[in-house]
Amino acid sequence: MDLGLGGSNSSPSRPKWRKVAYGGMQHGYDDNHTDDTFLEGMVMNASVVKRDMLKVMLDSVSISEYLCIVALVVLVWTYTLSSSLDENSLLLIDLSLLVSGFLILLFTQQMLSNSLSLLLHYALNISFFITGLYVLAPIYQTLTRSISSDSIWAVTVSLLVLHLFLHDYSESTVKAPGVLKNPALTSCISVNASVVASVFVASRLPSRLHVFAIMLFSLQVFLFAPLVTYCIKKYSFRLHLCFSISLMVLTLSFVFTLHRMLFVLLLSLLVFVNLVCPYWLIRIQEYKFEINGPWDEAKLCFDITD
Protein backbone atom coordinates (compact mmCIF):
# COMPACT_ATOMS: atom_id res chain seq x y z
CA MET A 1 0.00 0.00 0.00
CA ASP A 2 2.77 2.41 0.91
CA LEU A 3 4.62 1.53 -2.25
CA GLY A 4 1.53 2.20 -4.29
CA LEU A 5 0.99 5.61 -2.71
CA GLY A 6 4.62 6.50 -3.15
CA GLY A 7 4.49 5.51 -6.80
CA SER A 8 1.42 7.74 -7.43
CA ASN A 9 3.16 10.82 -5.97
CA SER A 10 6.33 10.42 -8.03
CA SER A 11 4.93 11.96 -11.28
CA PRO A 12 7.55 13.38 -13.67
CA SER A 13 8.09 17.14 -13.21
CA ARG A 14 7.08 19.43 -16.08
CA PRO A 15 10.10 20.93 -17.95
CA LYS A 16 10.74 24.64 -17.61
CA TRP A 17 9.19 26.81 -20.34
CA ARG A 18 11.65 28.65 -22.57
CA LYS A 19 10.95 31.58 -24.87
CA VAL A 20 12.10 30.46 -28.30
CA ALA A 21 11.23 31.90 -31.67
CA TYR A 22 10.98 28.79 -33.86
CA GLY A 23 11.18 25.93 -31.39
CA GLY A 24 7.69 24.56 -31.94
CA MET A 25 5.37 23.48 -29.13
CA GLN A 26 7.03 22.66 -25.82
CA HIS A 27 5.90 19.56 -23.99
CA GLY A 28 3.42 20.33 -21.22
CA TYR A 29 2.60 23.87 -22.41
CA ASP A 30 0.06 25.33 -24.80
CA ASP A 31 1.22 26.90 -28.03
CA ASN A 32 0.22 30.40 -26.84
CA HIS A 33 1.63 30.02 -23.35
CA THR A 34 3.49 32.96 -21.74
CA ASP A 35 5.13 33.16 -18.35
CA ASP A 36 5.21 35.95 -15.77
CA THR A 37 8.15 37.67 -17.49
CA PHE A 38 6.23 38.27 -20.73
CA LEU A 39 5.33 41.92 -19.97
CA GLU A 40 8.81 42.83 -18.80
CA GLY A 41 9.78 43.59 -22.40
CA MET A 42 6.90 46.02 -22.93
CA VAL A 43 7.99 49.55 -23.91
CA MET A 44 5.77 52.65 -24.06
CA ASN A 45 6.25 55.19 -26.89
CA ALA A 46 9.65 53.82 -27.91
CA SER A 47 9.54 55.12 -31.49
CA VAL A 48 7.50 58.27 -30.93
CA VAL A 49 9.42 61.29 -32.21
CA LYS A 50 9.27 64.44 -30.13
CA ARG A 51 8.88 67.15 -32.75
CA ASP A 52 9.93 70.74 -32.40
CA MET A 53 7.60 73.52 -33.52
CA LEU A 54 10.26 75.34 -35.55
CA LYS A 55 11.38 72.10 -37.25
CA VAL A 56 7.81 71.26 -38.29
CA MET A 57 7.27 74.78 -39.62
CA LEU A 58 10.44 74.55 -41.71
CA ASP A 59 9.38 71.18 -43.08
CA SER A 60 5.98 72.58 -44.08
CA VAL A 61 7.67 75.18 -46.29
CA SER A 62 7.96 72.56 -49.06
CA ILE A 63 4.16 72.23 -49.13
CA SER A 64 3.65 75.99 -49.34
CA GLU A 65 6.29 76.19 -52.04
CA TYR A 66 4.48 73.72 -54.26
CA LEU A 67 1.11 75.35 -53.58
CA CYS A 68 2.59 78.58 -54.93
CA ILE A 69 3.97 76.76 -57.98
CA VAL A 70 0.53 75.40 -58.82
CA ALA A 71 -0.98 78.85 -58.20
CA LEU A 72 1.48 80.36 -60.70
CA VAL A 73 0.47 77.74 -63.27
CA VAL A 74 -3.19 78.63 -62.79
CA LEU A 75 -2.30 82.33 -63.18
CA VAL A 76 -0.56 81.64 -66.49
CA TRP A 77 -3.59 79.62 -67.62
CA THR A 78 -5.89 82.48 -66.70
CA TYR A 79 -3.83 85.13 -68.48
CA THR A 80 -3.52 82.91 -71.55
CA LEU A 81 -7.24 82.18 -71.77
CA SER A 82 -7.99 85.89 -71.44
CA SER A 83 -5.51 86.65 -74.29
CA SER A 84 -3.25 88.65 -71.98
CA LEU A 85 -0.37 86.30 -72.85
CA ASP A 86 0.29 85.49 -76.50
CA GLU A 87 2.10 82.42 -77.81
CA ASN A 88 5.41 84.24 -78.27
CA SER A 89 5.47 85.32 -74.63
CA LEU A 90 4.61 81.78 -73.56
CA LEU A 91 7.42 80.33 -75.66
CA LEU A 92 9.85 82.83 -74.14
CA ILE A 93 8.72 81.78 -70.65
CA ASP A 94 9.14 78.11 -71.61
CA LEU A 95 12.66 78.72 -72.88
CA SER A 96 13.67 80.66 -69.77
CA LEU A 97 12.29 77.93 -67.49
CA LEU A 98 14.07 75.24 -69.47
CA VAL A 99 17.45 76.99 -69.36
CA SER A 100 17.16 77.93 -65.68
CA GLY A 101 16.13 74.38 -64.79
CA PHE A 102 19.16 72.96 -66.61
CA LEU A 103 21.49 75.37 -64.84
CA ILE A 104 20.06 74.57 -61.41
CA LEU A 105 20.31 70.82 -61.98
CA LEU A 106 23.92 71.14 -63.10
CA PHE A 107 24.81 73.51 -60.26
CA THR A 108 23.36 71.29 -57.54
CA GLN A 109 25.06 68.10 -58.73
CA GLN A 110 27.77 66.96 -56.34
CA MET A 111 30.01 65.40 -58.99
CA LEU A 112 30.84 68.13 -61.51
CA SER A 113 32.83 65.67 -63.63
CA ASN A 114 29.55 64.09 -64.79
CA SER A 115 27.94 67.41 -65.71
CA LEU A 116 28.45 66.93 -69.45
CA SER A 117 26.91 63.45 -69.49
CA LEU A 118 24.05 64.65 -67.29
CA LEU A 119 23.41 67.58 -69.61
CA LEU A 120 23.40 65.27 -72.63
CA HIS A 121 21.02 62.86 -70.89
CA TYR A 122 18.49 65.57 -70.03
CA ALA A 123 18.86 67.37 -73.38
CA LEU A 124 18.15 64.20 -75.36
CA ASN A 125 15.07 63.31 -73.33
CA ILE A 126 13.74 66.87 -73.41
CA SER A 127 14.18 67.09 -77.19
CA PHE A 128 12.14 63.91 -77.71
CA PHE A 129 9.56 65.23 -75.26
CA ILE A 130 9.20 68.62 -77.02
CA THR A 131 9.02 67.02 -80.47
CA GLY A 132 6.27 64.63 -79.44
CA LEU A 133 4.37 67.43 -77.74
CA TYR A 134 4.47 69.60 -80.88
CA VAL A 135 3.23 66.74 -83.06
CA LEU A 136 0.32 66.02 -80.71
CA ALA A 137 -0.70 69.68 -80.29
CA PRO A 138 -3.49 69.56 -82.95
CA ILE A 139 -5.02 66.53 -81.22
CA TYR A 140 -5.01 68.33 -77.87
CA GLN A 141 -6.64 71.37 -79.49
CA THR A 142 -9.69 69.42 -80.75
CA LEU A 143 -9.85 66.75 -78.05
CA THR A 144 -12.67 68.25 -75.96
CA ARG A 145 -14.44 70.36 -78.58
CA SER A 146 -17.77 68.58 -77.97
CA ILE A 147 -17.65 69.16 -74.17
CA SER A 148 -19.04 72.33 -72.63
CA SER A 149 -16.66 74.80 -71.00
CA ASP A 150 -18.40 74.57 -67.61
CA SER A 151 -17.72 70.84 -67.48
CA ILE A 152 -14.11 71.44 -68.52
CA TRP A 153 -13.48 73.95 -65.72
CA ALA A 154 -15.18 71.75 -63.11
CA VAL A 155 -13.12 68.70 -64.07
CA THR A 156 -9.93 70.79 -64.24
CA VAL A 157 -10.42 72.14 -60.71
CA SER A 158 -11.17 68.63 -59.42
CA LEU A 159 -8.03 67.25 -61.07
CA LEU A 160 -5.86 70.01 -59.58
CA VAL A 161 -7.26 69.31 -56.11
CA LEU A 162 -6.53 65.60 -56.63
CA HIS A 163 -3.03 66.48 -57.82
CA LEU A 164 -2.31 68.56 -54.72
CA PHE A 165 -3.80 65.92 -52.42
CA LEU A 166 -1.74 63.00 -53.80
CA HIS A 167 1.49 64.85 -54.60
CA ASP A 168 4.65 63.62 -52.88
CA TYR A 169 5.93 66.73 -51.09
CA SER A 170 9.01 65.00 -49.66
CA GLU A 171 10.59 63.86 -52.92
CA SER A 172 10.26 64.24 -56.68
CA THR A 173 8.21 61.99 -58.93
CA VAL A 174 10.73 62.40 -61.76
CA LYS A 175 13.93 60.80 -60.49
CA ALA A 176 17.48 61.74 -61.31
CA PRO A 177 19.56 59.30 -63.39
CA GLY A 178 20.85 56.31 -61.40
CA VAL A 179 18.20 56.44 -58.65
CA LEU A 180 16.91 52.97 -57.79
CA LYS A 181 13.81 53.98 -55.85
CA ASN A 182 10.67 54.11 -57.98
CA PRO A 183 7.90 56.69 -57.40
CA ALA A 184 4.85 55.67 -55.41
CA LEU A 185 1.51 54.92 -57.05
CA THR A 186 -0.12 58.01 -55.53
CA SER A 187 2.61 60.21 -57.01
CA CYS A 188 2.01 58.77 -60.48
CA ILE A 189 -1.74 59.38 -60.13
CA SER A 190 -1.00 62.96 -59.06
CA VAL A 191 1.17 63.58 -62.13
CA ASN A 192 -1.42 62.05 -64.45
CA ALA A 193 -4.12 64.27 -62.96
CA SER A 194 -2.03 67.39 -63.62
CA VAL A 195 -1.34 66.31 -67.22
CA VAL A 196 -5.04 65.73 -67.94
CA ALA A 197 -5.92 69.10 -66.39
CA SER A 198 -3.33 70.75 -68.68
CA VAL A 199 -4.84 69.04 -71.72
CA PHE A 200 -8.33 70.29 -70.78
CA VAL A 201 -7.09 73.87 -70.46
CA ALA A 202 -5.09 73.66 -73.71
CA SER A 203 -8.14 72.43 -75.61
CA ARG A 204 -9.78 75.82 -75.12
CA LEU A 205 -7.00 77.77 -76.87
CA PRO A 206 -7.39 79.10 -80.44
CA SER A 207 -4.20 78.03 -82.23
CA ARG A 208 -1.81 75.09 -82.43
CA LEU A 209 1.13 77.19 -81.25
CA HIS A 210 -0.90 78.36 -78.24
CA VAL A 211 -1.65 74.74 -77.34
CA PHE A 212 1.98 73.69 -77.72
CA ALA A 213 3.27 76.62 -75.63
CA ILE A 214 0.81 76.15 -72.75
CA MET A 215 1.28 72.37 -72.70
CA LEU A 216 5.05 72.75 -72.68
CA PHE A 217 4.82 75.25 -69.83
CA SER A 218 2.43 73.12 -67.77
CA LEU A 219 4.37 69.89 -68.19
CA GLN A 220 7.68 71.58 -67.46
CA VAL A 221 6.29 72.83 -64.17
CA PHE A 222 4.35 69.73 -63.11
CA LEU A 223 7.01 67.22 -64.14
CA PHE A 224 10.35 68.96 -63.62
CA ALA A 225 9.73 71.71 -61.05
CA PRO A 226 9.52 69.14 -58.18
CA LEU A 227 12.87 67.68 -59.32
CA VAL A 228 14.49 71.13 -59.40
CA THR A 229 13.16 72.14 -55.99
CA TYR A 230 14.21 68.77 -54.56
CA CYS A 231 17.76 69.24 -55.88
CA ILE A 232 17.88 72.73 -54.37
CA LYS A 233 16.74 71.38 -51.02
CA LYS A 234 19.30 68.58 -51.05
CA TYR A 235 22.07 70.99 -52.02
CA SER A 236 21.38 73.67 -49.39
CA PHE A 237 18.43 74.02 -47.04
CA ARG A 238 19.09 77.75 -46.63
CA LEU A 239 18.95 78.21 -50.40
CA HIS A 240 15.73 76.19 -50.44
CA LEU A 241 14.26 78.40 -47.73
CA CYS A 242 15.19 81.62 -49.53
CA PHE A 243 13.83 80.30 -52.82
CA SER A 244 10.55 79.23 -51.19
CA ILE A 245 10.00 82.57 -49.44
CA SER A 246 10.76 84.47 -52.64
CA LEU A 247 8.34 82.27 -54.55
CA MET A 248 5.60 82.86 -51.97
CA VAL A 249 6.05 86.64 -52.13
CA LEU A 250 6.06 86.58 -55.95
CA THR A 251 2.92 84.44 -56.11
CA LEU A 252 1.04 86.55 -53.58
CA SER A 253 1.91 89.73 -55.48
CA PHE A 254 0.64 88.31 -58.78
CA VAL A 255 -2.54 86.98 -57.18
CA PHE A 256 -3.13 90.35 -55.51
CA THR A 257 -3.07 92.10 -58.90
CA LEU A 258 -5.51 89.54 -60.29
CA HIS A 259 -8.14 89.39 -57.54
CA ARG A 260 -8.22 90.56 -53.92
CA MET A 261 -10.40 87.68 -52.67
CA LEU A 262 -8.10 85.08 -54.20
CA PHE A 263 -5.17 86.83 -52.52
CA VAL A 264 -6.89 86.52 -49.13
CA LEU A 265 -7.68 82.83 -49.77
CA LEU A 266 -4.12 81.99 -50.81
CA LEU A 267 -2.61 83.92 -47.90
CA SER A 268 -4.96 82.16 -45.47
CA LEU A 269 -4.01 78.79 -46.96
CA LEU A 270 -0.29 79.50 -46.56
CA VAL A 271 -0.77 80.63 -42.96
CA PHE A 272 -2.84 77.51 -42.28
CA VAL A 273 -0.17 75.22 -43.74
CA ASN A 274 2.84 76.92 -42.11
CA LEU A 275 1.42 77.86 -38.70
CA VAL A 276 -1.86 76.16 -37.82
CA CYS A 277 -1.04 72.65 -39.05
CA PRO A 278 2.37 72.48 -37.28
CA TYR A 279 0.71 73.70 -34.09
CA TRP A 280 -1.96 70.99 -34.34
CA LEU A 281 0.69 68.34 -34.99
CA ILE A 282 2.64 69.34 -31.88
CA ARG A 283 -0.51 69.34 -29.75
CA ILE A 284 -1.78 65.93 -30.86
CA GLN A 285 1.64 64.43 -30.08
CA GLU A 286 0.62 64.56 -26.41
CA TYR A 287 -2.08 61.95 -27.10
CA LYS A 288 0.27 59.58 -28.92
CA PHE A 289 0.25 56.17 -27.17
CA GLU A 290 2.28 53.36 -28.69
CA ILE A 291 2.99 49.98 -27.08
CA ASN A 292 5.87 47.78 -28.21
CA GLY A 293 6.83 44.40 -26.84
CA PRO A 294 7.95 40.85 -27.60
CA TRP A 295 4.72 40.23 -29.54
CA ASP A 296 5.77 42.59 -32.34
CA GLU A 297 7.21 41.32 -35.58
CA ALA A 298 10.95 41.61 -36.02
CA LYS A 299 12.09 44.56 -38.15
CA LEU A 300 15.22 44.77 -40.25
CA CYS A 301 17.68 47.42 -39.16
CA PHE A 302 19.11 47.85 -42.66
CA ASP A 303 17.79 48.42 -46.20
CA ILE A 304 17.82 45.69 -48.81
CA THR A 305 18.62 47.02 -52.32
CA ASP A 306 19.11 45.08 -55.49
Side-chain angles (χ1 to χ4, degrees):
M1 181 66 68
D2 294 335
L3 293 174
L5 291 174
S8 62
N9 292 332
S10 61
S11 59
S13 60
R14 190 167 60 167
K16 184 178 180 181
W17 179 81
R18 297 179 299 108
K19 184 172 68 173
V20 292
Y22 302 101
M25 292 186 60
Q26 301 182 36
H27 180 69
Y29 296 94
D30 296 332
D31 187 37
N32 59 347
H33 175 78
T34 56
D35 63 352
D36 297 336
T37 64
F38 181 71
L39 294 179
E40 291 181 357
M42 184 176 65
V43 180
M44 300 288 187
N45 297 334
S47 59
V48 176
V49 179
K50 299 297 183 180
R51 291 182 169 86
D52 181 63
M53 181 68 180
L54 181 60
K55 178 67 167 55
V56 178
M57 290 175 61
L58 293 176
D59 290 338
S60 63
V61 171
S62 299
I63 303 177
S64 301
E65 178 189 53
Y66 194 73
L67 288 175
C68 291
I69 290 175
V70 175
L72 287 176
V73 174
V74 175
L75 284 174
V76 172
W77 287 352
T78 304
Y79 287 130
T80 305
L81 292 170
S82 62
S83 301
S84 299
L85 273 176
D86 57 0
E87 56 269 29
N88 295 325
S89 300
L90 279 174
L91 290 175
L92 184 60
I93 294 175
D94 294 339
L95 181 61
S96 61
L97 288 177
L98 191 61
V99 172
S100 59
F102 269 130
L103 293 177
I104 291 175
L105 289 177
L106 293 177
F107 179 73
T108 55
Q109 291 298 315
Q110 295 181 356
M111 298 180 63
L112 296 178
S113 59
N114 295 329
S115 296
L116 185 60
S117 60
L118 183 66
L119 178 61
L120 182 61
H121 174 84
Y122 280 118
L124 191 61
N125 291 339
I126 293 286
S127 61
F128 289 149
F129 173 76
I130 293 176
T131 303
L133 192 62
Y134 184 77
V135 172
L136 294 175
I139 300 177
Y140 296 148
Q141 185 181 1
T142 60
L143 188 62
T144 61
R145 182 173 294 175
S146 60
I147 305 176
S148 64
S149 297
D150 293 338
S151 301
I152 291 295
W153 307 141
V155 174
T156 301
V157 172
S158 302
L159 289 173
L160 285 180
V161 172
L162 179 65
H163 170 69
L164 290 173
F165 184 75
L166 298 179
H167 180 71
D168 187 3
Y169 294 94
S170 60
E171 293 186 2
S172 171
T173 305
V174 179
K175 301 298 183 181
V179 178
L180 297 177
K181 185 179 179 181
N182 295 322
L185 176 62
T186 55
S187 300
C188 297
I189 296 175
S190 174
V191 171
N192 290 330
S194 65
V195 172
V196 175
S198 304
V199 171
F200 283 166
V201 173
S203 64
R204 287 299 183 263
L205 295 175
S207 65
R208 172 181 180 174
L209 194 57
H210 256 109
V211 174
F212 169 72
I214 198 67
M215 284 296 298
L216 181 59
F217 170 79
S218 302
L219 295 184
Q220 276 189 99
V221 174
F222 286 127
L223 294 180
F224 299 108
L227 176 61
V228 172
T229 55
Y230 176 72
C231 291
I232 293 175
K233 185 177 180 180
K234 292 289 289 183
Y235 179 77
S236 174
F237 187 79
R238 289 185 178 180
L239 183 61
H240 161 72
L241 195 60
C242 295
F243 176 76
S244 301
I245 295 175
S246 302
L247 187 64
M248 292 180 199
V249 174
L250 180 66
T251 306
L252 288 173
S253 61
F254 278 125
V255 174
F256 182 79
T257 58
L258 181 66
H259 200 282
R260 302 294 175 84
M261 183 57 67
L262 294 178
F263 169 79
V264 174
L265 290 176
L266 181 59
L267 181 60
S268 303
L269 181 60
L270 295 179
V271 172
F272 178 77
V273 170
N274 289 297
L275 294 179
V276 179
C277 290
Y279 176 75
W280 279 354
L281 181 62
I282 297 298
R283 289 300 302 271
I284 63 177
Q285 284 295 111
E286 302 176 0
Y287 305 99
K288 183 74 175 181
F289 187 71
E290 181 180 323
I291 301 176
N292 300 101
W295 53 84
D296 294 329
E297 295 181 358
K299 296 181 180 179
L300 298 177
C301 59
F302 55 89
D303 295 330
I304 298 179
T305 57
D306 297 332

